[in-house]
Amino acid sequence: PELYKLRALQRSGGTPVAGRDVKLFSGALEVLTSIREGGGPLADTRFAVASRTSSVEWARDLLRQFDLEGLFEQIEIFPGDKSRHFKNLRKKTGVPYDEMLFFDDALLDAKEA
């Protein structure tokens, strides 16, 4: 689920647990790892996170719990709009917008990007 869907957990003072409360999309870790470690034409692919959640600490903690932090060159997690995330990523990485590929499960975020 999206982090905002875990409000009851937040109200009770709990925090989400990777694999129980939040799960990765099936095959996501394998794809990222394969690209990162596989060499070949995708060997220079760089990964970043762009999340507009207001549950910033939860999101960062889940990245740690899933042991994903090391896969990402940049991590942009803060409330707001995706265009600000991408401006920051462009500035920090030097990667032009037309060379970025963006995946999101929310259509609004994909339109903003």
Side-chain angles (χ1 to χ4, degrees), residues 3-50:
L3 290 182
Y4 74 86
K5 294 179 180 177
L6 300 174
R7 298 274 189 242
L9 183 62
Q10 189 173 30
R11 284 191 294 273
S12 71
T15 57
V17 174
R20 184 189 72 196
D21 302 307
V22 177
K23 295 179 172 67
L24 295 177
F25 285 114
S26 177
L29 181 58
E30 291 81 5
V31 168
L32 292 172
T33 304
S34 174
I35 292 170
R36 171 70 73 217
E37 298 172 357
L42 300 177
D44 294 331
T45 301
R46 298 157 71 184
F47 297 107
V49 171

Side-chain angles (χ1 to χ4, degrees), residues 1-108:
E2 298 283 341
L3 290 182
Y4 74 86
K5 294 179 180 177
L6 300 174
R7 298 274 189 242
L9 183 62
Q10 189 173 30
R11 284 191 294 273
S12 71
T15 57
V17 174
R20 184 189 72 196
D21 302 307
V22 177
K23 295 179 172 67
L24 295 177
F25 285 114
S26 177
L29 181 58
E30 291 81 5
V31 168
L32 292 172
T33 304
S34 174
I35 292 170
R36 171 70 73 217
E37 298 172 357
L42 300 177
D44 294 331
T45 301
R46 298 157 71 184
F47 297 107
V49 171
S51 176
R52 63 186 191 107
T53 184
S54 59
S55 303
V56 175
E57 290 308 313
W58 276 14
R60 289 191 177 278
D61 184 51
L62 285 164
L63 285 173
R64 283 188 290 276
Q65 288 183 50
F66 280 116
D67 197 26
L68 293 174
E69 289 178 306
L71 287 173
F72 301 105
E73 180 179 327
Q74 295 293 325
I75 298 175
E76 292 284 319
I77 302 175
F78 54 83
D81 62 71
K82 288 291 183 186
S83 62
R84 194 164 130 224
H85 289 105
F86 280 91
K87 286 177 188 172
N88 291 347
L89 290 171
R90 169 72 181 101
K91 184 177 179 179
K92 292 175 180 178
T93 66
V95 175
Y97 295 123
D98 64 351
E99 292 183 17
M100 293 182 184
L101 181 60
F102 174 65
F103 294 94
D104 202 298
D105 62 342
L107 184 58
L108 174 64

